[in-house]
């Protein structure tokens, strides 16, 4: 089967409710499907950092440059992975004043990428 072929992995009602989550295997790849509000996301079930059970992680929002990003938190090492594009958000995050959202500390984003706090970006 060509890699661009679609695969039916679940009935429509299996992911109808907010927070619904299922784990499937497609051509030997383990994938987690999760509904957050009106959006449906697919992410590798296995964390690419250390093989943890990413698909079982909590869904959390973080705020970056006034944009809210929906992420999944790996239960093993607490890495945050964006459900939108798979980007890893793991450094220099702190709770906002309400304590409900994670926000990136100032000066930790450069040219669209995270940089560890305290690292010099060079000239």
């Amino acid at each position: 089967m060509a890699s661009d072929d679609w695969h039916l992995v679940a009935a429509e009602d299996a992911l109808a409710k907010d927070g619904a989550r299922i784990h499937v295997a497609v051509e030997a790849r383990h994938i987690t499907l999760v509904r957050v509000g009106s959006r449906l996301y697919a992410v590798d079930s296995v964390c690419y950092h250390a093989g943890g059970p990413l698909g079982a992680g909590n869904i959390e929002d973080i705020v970056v440059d006034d944009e809210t990003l929906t992420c999944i938190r790996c239960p093993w090492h607490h890495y945050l992975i964006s459900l939108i594009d798979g980007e890893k958000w793991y450094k220099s995050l702190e709770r906002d004043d309400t304590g409900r959202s994670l926000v990136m500390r100032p000066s930790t984003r450069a040219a669209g990428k995270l940089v560890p706090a305290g690292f010099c970006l060079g000239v």
Side-chain angles (χ1 to χ4, degrees):
M1 217 174 237
S3 62
D4 59 350
D5 287 342
W6 289 86
H7 298 272
L8 179 63
V9 295
E12 183 177 352
D13 61 346
L15 291 160
K17 294 183 180 179
D18 186 25
R21 184 183 316 210
I22 61 171
H23 309 282
V24 299
V26 178
E27 295 184 7
R29 186 171 185 174
H30 297 278
I31 299 169
T32 297
L33 302 171
V34 62
R35 177 168 299 283
V36 179
S38 63
R39 303 191 95 173
L40 185 62
Y41 299 98
V43 64
D44 282 314
S45 295
V46 179
C47 182
Y48 52 77
H49 165 244
L54 182 62
N58 291 332
I59 306 299
E60 301 180 25
D61 287 335
I62 63 170
V63 179
V64 179
D65 298 332
D66 296 324
E67 180 183 357
T68 300
L69 303 175
T70 302
C71 297
I72 189 167
R73 180 181 294 276
C74 180
W76 279 11
H77 298 107
H78 307 288
Y79 278 37
L80 284 167
I81 310 296
S82 169
L83 287 175
I84 297 166
D85 61 9
E87 188 170 1
K88 179 172 52 174
W89 299 95
Y90 64 97
K91 299 242 185 218
S92 302
L93 297 173
E94 59 188 26
R95 295 276 173 198
D96 68 1
D97 293 336
T98 68
R100 293 184 305 215
S101 295
L102 289 169
V103 295
M104 196 176 310
R105 293 182 189 148
S107 303
T108 59
R109 187 171 178 142
K113 297 289 182 184
L114 282 177
V115 294
F119 280 30
C120 178
L121 294 178
V123 181

